Amino acid sequence: MTVSQIMEGGPNRSFASGWYAVKALERIGVAVSVPKTAQCRVARYRLADGAAEVVGEFVVDWLRQEPRPRLSPLPGSKQYQQVLAVLGEYPDSWFTVNELTSKLSGVRKCARRPTVELYAAGYLLRRLSDGGKPGRVEYQYRLDPDAAPHARALLDA
């Protein structure tokens, strides 16, 4: 498989980060490079001999892990309330930390810490940006619809 084919099955990342991930797997002996041929001059990789069983065990173990607690209570905090107020206004929109910070201009210098803490507590959903814009891929956040009633309670605290 090529790096592009491998990346189709995973999170949306840049080509360079996918290539570095494959190179890391190659260094630890999980993936090996397939020699280029006259018909195919593209770098290709496959699982190393004997790695399929180890990778399979890792995936099974990973799937067995208990999910993290869905929602953790947080104290009523102005920082959390400010971020939740913006996300509650636009429940179907995804925001990067920079976009949240710009919405909170004049109120907060940066929304990074409260946003990450709200995500860790289960109030927010997170995804990687689509990479359609120039620059590095960033996390985007939005209010988790399942946690919206709890977020409203936190706003009223």
Side-chain angles (χ1 to χ4, degrees):
M1 297 183 84
T2 65
V3 173
S4 297
Q5 291 168 327
I6 292 168
M7 288 176 48
E8 286 175 11
N12 191 2
R13 297 187 182 270
S14 69
F15 179 80
S17 68
W19 184 82
Y20 283 116
V22 170
K23 285 301 191 183
L25 291 173
E26 190 177 27
R27 275 194 302 276
I28 63 173
V30 173
V32 292
S33 177
V34 175
K36 295 178 182 176
T37 63
Q39 293 84 13
C40 183
R41 303 287 304 154
V42 177
R44 295 175 296 151
Y45 300 87
R46 66 173 177 78
L47 283 178
D49 296 333
E53 185 177 329
V54 173
V55 170
E57 289 173 9
F58 171 80
V59 170
V60 168
D61 184 50
W62 181 75
L63 291 173
R64 266 192 242 139
Q65 290 179 11
E66 296 205 10
R68 67 181 177 91
R70 194 58 209 136
L71 196 63
S72 302
L74 287 173
S77 161
K78 277 224 181 283
Q79 297 172 353
Y80 300 145
Q81 291 170 341
Q82 291 163 348
V83 171
L84 287 173
V86 170
L87 293 172
E89 255 184 86
Y90 308 96
D92 297 327
S93 300
W94 292 89
F95 294 94
T96 63
V97 170
N98 288 339
E99 291 166 342
L100 280 171
T101 301
S102 69
K103 293 244 181 234
L104 297 171
S105 65
V107 180
R108 290 203 52 73
K109 287 184 184 176
C110 183
R112 183 171 312 284
R113 190 175 58 81
T115 302
V116 171
E117 289 173 359
L118 285 165
Y119 168 73
Y123 288 86
L124 307 181
L125 299 174
R126 180 170 81 176
R127 72 175 186 187
L128 287 168
S129 64
D130 61 6
K133 299 176 186 172
R136 67 178 179 190
V137 179
E138 297 179 299
Y139 282 118
Q140 295 177 321
Y141 298 89
R142 76 172 227 186
L143 186 61
D144 184 347
D146 296 335
H150 302 285
R152 278 192 277 292
L154 191 60
L155 277 170
D156 296 336

